[in-house]
Amino acid sequence: MTTDLRIAFLPLTDVAVLAVARERGFAEEEGLHLDLVRTTSWATLRDRLVFGQVQAAHMLAPLAVAVTLGLSQQAAPLSAPYKLNVNGNMLVMASEFAQALAPDVAARLDDPLGTAHDFATAIGLWKRKPVIGVVHRYSSHAVMLRYWLASAGVDPDRDVILRVLPPSLTVEAIRAGEIDGFIAGEPWGSAAVDAGLAEGVAIGERIWRRGVEKVLAFRTPWLEENPDSVDRLLRALVRAGAWCDDPDHHEALAHLLSQPHYVDQPADLILRALSGRIVPRVDMAPLSMPDFMLFSREATPFPWRSQALWIYSQLVRWKMVDHSAENAAKAASVFRPDIFRRALADSDVAMPGASMKVEGAVASPLAVGSKRGELTLGPDSFFDGRVFDPERIEDFLASF
Amino acid sequence: MRIVIIDDSGLRATVLEEGLREAGYDDIHIVPPRGGFVARLERMAPDVVLMDLGSPSRDTLEEMLTVSRALARPIAMFVDQSDESMIGAAIDAGVSAYVVDGLRKERVKPVLELAVRRFNAFARLQSELDEARTALSDRKIIDRAKSILMSQRGLGEPEAYALLRSSAMNQGKKIVDVAQALITASDLLGGM
């Protein structure tokens, strides 16, 4: 018997694993029929999930934490047992503004700390506050942008204007001069570059290597009541994720995602993030960034509780929520390594031995304790060299 | 009570506005969700904002309600979270409502109920329009197929139509599909 699952998503390259689970038959083999519901705003996606119109959603990790903490319109406990990807974002600025930064784009992207300081100086030269588009208040993009700006002493709530707009409207907004730049998931940064409207300023992966991006989110009560469907879906996604990471499949994947009911953008734009060949300025040769966006390797899907807590620490830092033991526990509970372990117990997926780690501590590929098989964790460092110990949140917060 | 409808489809907003006026609300404004609509909305200081659920600008609006000083305290969406049937109806109809200050929900509920009804009416209108359009284009296809038959086989119009109809019945297909196949075949064979 086939189980129907409705899953809401936004038109972004990182919906890849869900699209492939459906289109390449991985879900069908687990007895699932996936109905992928395209939405255009995170608010609508959130409402569809919270009010039970879909069973799961392709969701910004910080939004899942925020909804659980009651920060976003409707409070509801959400659970994320699976990370759909890490990284995949690019900060682009209108060429006019980017002129104030280091002219060598490759060097600029290689040195996020230096670029942050150049940007801070450029704000002083500019006659008004730069307006930077972010896709949601509770997005990984906003969190990483704030982290990056603050490293150079820029107060994101005082020195710049952060304007929320959905990814699909970013290119038009920069064309119309409503924003000076934006940070969004691919392919929207590449689309703005290709249109000759903007150039790359920073790459998410260079700010936090292996930074959390989209998760698969469920309402917690539904997740608890339907363990079988959840497990089957996770097994299908693991196989789809491995398929997506395989370089031999990138062209087919780009073509699949380019279709109108998925991302509806040219396949060659989408291919750039998948293959890690980023064009940061129009007519420039692509730069190789093999870790630009990951779906599967190095335990990408594993929902480390410490990562939910890192997100929480940033929400506290920017005074979006008060720190308390209760709030921290709620935030940590959003990521569900227990469900991930249960669903994939009988698979050959390498499983980390722990559910928390010190974030930012892995500087080069590291073999770690795993329940089965070999597991190597890729570098997860932050560009400013900080580390986040989930056992010592107060110390971390005091360090800013 | 000031109601702002954020919508870029003129027709849908008008359908909604008319309904609200008939129900006795007269302070109604329509704002398209483009450019500086946020600043405009702030100046209007509405009590209730109605928006199409499918609008990409919803995130922008919510952000404004969170940070705006002029529109403090976004208290509710879909009016009352405990009223599940109302929420379901609103989502189905594609309408989302924001109450931007401390209005009592008894005053807002009729507005939302009306909005849901009008949005549904609009959806019906839209699908009727689509059907009418399809019917029209079906007619054109059938007419073209008939004229092909009339010129190629020397038939009169009623005979050409009867031939299409009987072919459709024999093949268990719609007339328009048979007509389309005929047109395609005729094009492939070098036209009429």
Side-chain angles (χ1 to χ4, degrees):
Chain A
M1 202 187 85
T2 313
T3 307
D4 288 310
L5 285 182
R6 282 167 65 80
I7 305 178
F9 74 99
L10 246 62
L12 289 161
T13 304
D14 57 21
V15 75
V17 176
L18 287 169
V20 164
R22 179 192 152 85
E23 305 288 341
R24 307 291 306 190
F26 297 117
E28 212 68 60
E29 283 169 34
E30 290 286 348
L32 297 174
H33 175 75
L34 302 188
D35 183 6
L36 301 182
V37 183
R38 192 176 195 259
T39 59
T40 44
S41 77
W42 292 111
T44 299
L45 175 130
R46 176 206 58 211
D47 290 344
R48 284 193 186 281
L49 179 64
V50 167
F51 296 120
Q53 294 231 322
V54 295
Q55 283 81 45
H58 159 242
M59 193 180 254
L60 297 158
L63 182 57
V65 173
V67 170
T68 304
L69 289 171
L71 305 182
S72 190
Q73 292 280 343
Q74 307 293 318
L78 299 185
S79 284
Y82 192 92
K83 301 213 312 283
L84 291 169
N85 65 306
V86 298
N87 298 135
N89 303 321
M90 176 152 63
L91 170 66
V92 300
M93 298 292 296
S95 315
E96 194 191 7
F97 188 91
Q99 276 173 5
L101 306 172
D104 180 348
V105 190
R108 197 194 282 167
L109 299 180
D110 268 344
D111 179 15
L113 195 58
T115 304
H117 282 275
D118 288 347
F119 185 83
T121 312
I123 293 177
L125 301 173
W126 203 242
K127 290 195 179 64
R128 57 178 176 79
K129 292 184 190 183
V131 183
I132 309 176
V134 294
V135 298
H136 196 272
R137 158 176 289 252
Y138 303 117
S139 62
S140 7
H141 320 69
V143 166
M144 277 192 218
L145 177 68
R146 284 168 170 272
Y147 189 90
W148 179 75
L149 288 170
S151 73
V154 177
D155 181 340
D157 292 312
R158 183 197 62 201
D159 303 330
V160 294
I161 296 169
L162 300 185
R163 180 157 296 162
V164 168
L165 74 171
S168 56
L169 296 188
T170 47
V171 178
E172 278 320 302
I174 204 165
R175 193 193 303 276
E178 289 165 21
I179 52 176
D180 298 307
F182 65 85
I183 178 166
E186 280 293 287
W188 302 102
S190 289
V193 169
D194 242 44
L197 297 167
E199 50 185 73
V201 168
I203 301 285
E205 183 259 328
R206 299 291 168 95
I207 294 173
W208 180 11
R209 305 186 69 175
R210 314 289 187 277
V212 183
E213 190 44 55
K214 302 301 184 306
V215 294
L216 179 72
F218 298 87
R219 270 167 293 126
T220 304
W222 192 91
L223 174 110
E224 306 288 358
E225 287 158 19
N226 297 276
D228 184 51
S229 300
V230 172
D231 289 359
R232 283 190 280 156
L233 179 57
L234 262 50
R235 287 197 292 268
L237 293 184
V238 158
R239 293 178 60 208
W243 193 93
C244 290
D245 261 1
D246 185 337
D248 288 346
H249 299 148
H250 286 160
E251 276 202 34
L253 178 54
H255 182 73
L256 169 68
L257 292 174
S258 72
Q259 294 175 54
H261 55 282
Y262 287 120
V263 182
D264 198 14
Q265 287 286 306
D268 63 319
L269 274 189
I270 294 171
L271 184 61
R272 292 183 196 170
L274 299 175
S275 59
R277 291 171 60 75
I278 299 302
V279 178
R281 182 187 280 157
V282 72
D283 296 334
M284 217 175 115
L287 301 175
S288 171
M289 298 190 182
D291 294 342
F292 184 85
M293 182 184 268
L294 302 188
F295 297 111
S296 168
R297 62 191 157 99
E298 294 153 12
T300 289
F302 189 77
W304 296 94
R305 288 220 146 125
S306 42
Q307 294 177 335
L309 282 169
W310 183 84
I311 291 167
Y312 166 77
S313 77
Q314 298 304 303
L315 300 182
V316 172
R317 177 185 182 186
W318 301 115
K319 301 189 168 45
M320 293 167 177
V321 63
D322 291 329
H323 176 47
S324 68
E326 190 198 345
N327 279 342
K330 258 194 202 175
S333 75
V334 174
F335 277 28
R336 298 295 298 271
D338 54 326
I339 306 286
F340 186 90
R341 289 181 200 287
R342 181 191 74 199
L344 300 162
D346 297 326
S347 73
D348 55 3
V349 172
M351 201 74 73
S355 293
M356 299 242 255
K357 64 187 172 81
V358 176
E359 298 293 332
V362 182
S364 52
L366 177 75
V368 294
S370 159
K371 286 266 169 60
R372 191 180 318 102
E374 291 290 307
L375 177 61
T376 304
L377 294 183
D380 67 351
S381 40
F382 295 95
F383 76 99
D384 61 356
R386 279 178 201 270
V387 293
F388 171 69
D389 182 345
E391 308 283 349
R392 302 173 64 190
I393 296 181
E394 285 85 0
D395 293 349
F396 183 67
L397 287 169
S399 75
F400 292 113
Chain B
M1 176 153 57
R2 174 166 294 180
I3 303 168
V4 170
I5 302 163
I6 301 183
D7 201 304
D8 50 8
S9 136
L11 184 54
R12 180 169 48 208
T14 311
V15 167
L16 192 50
E17 185 189 359
E18 276 172 12
L20 289 166
R21 287 199 190 282
E22 280 164 23
Y25 301 97
D26 52 10
D27 194 0
I28 302 165
H29 306 262
I30 298 173
V31 175
R34 281 190 295 274
F37 82 98
V38 163
R40 237 183 113 188
L41 203 57
E42 272 179 321
R43 281 200 300 279
M44 288 178 166
D47 299 299
V48 179
V49 179
L50 293 169
M51 185 175 213
D52 170 28
L53 201 66
S55 170
S57 297
R58 262 193 86 199
D59 288 332
T60 312
L61 175 66
E62 275 196 11
E63 176 68 9
M64 177 193 94
L65 294 173
T66 308
V67 299
S68 167
R69 279 185 298 267
L71 298 170
R73 286 185 300 148
I75 57 153
M77 203 196 71
F78 301 123
V79 181
D80 181 358
Q81 4 177 339
S82 63
D83 189 346
E84 282 202 20
S85 62
M86 186 75 217
I87 290 166
I91 293 183
D92 285 342
V95 56
S96 63
Y98 294 82
V99 181
V100 291
D101 70 5
L103 268 186
R104 291 215 318 276
K105 76 174 189 211
E106 299 85 80
R107 291 194 56 200
V108 181
K109 203 163 171 169
V111 174
L112 185 56
E113 275 168 356
L114 185 71
V116 167
R117 278 208 305 277
R118 301 297 291 193
F119 262 58
N120 282 332
F122 173 73
R124 267 200 307 280
L125 210 65
Q126 192 76 18
S127 72
E128 278 168 21
L129 196 66
D130 290 346
E131 272 173 32
R133 278 202 192 111
T134 313
L136 200 64
S137 86
D138 285 0
R139 270 271 301 285
K140 278 189 187 151
I141 291 169
I142 293 168
D143 282 349
R144 218 181 126 204
K146 272 194 303 195
S147 69
I148 292 172
L149 288 176
M150 285 156 69
S151 69
Q152 298 276 314
R153 305 260 311 254
L155 299 174
E157 190 175 338
E159 290 80 15
Y161 185 75
L163 184 56
L164 278 176
R165 190 162 163 271
S166 61
S167 306
M169 281 167 65
N170 291 340
Q171 297 175 39
K173 286 183 180 161
K174 288 200 289 192
I175 291 188
V176 64
D177 294 337
V178 172
Q180 184 63 58
L182 179 69
I183 293 168
T184 308
S186 164
D187 286 348
L188 283 174
L189 295 172
M192 28 195 289

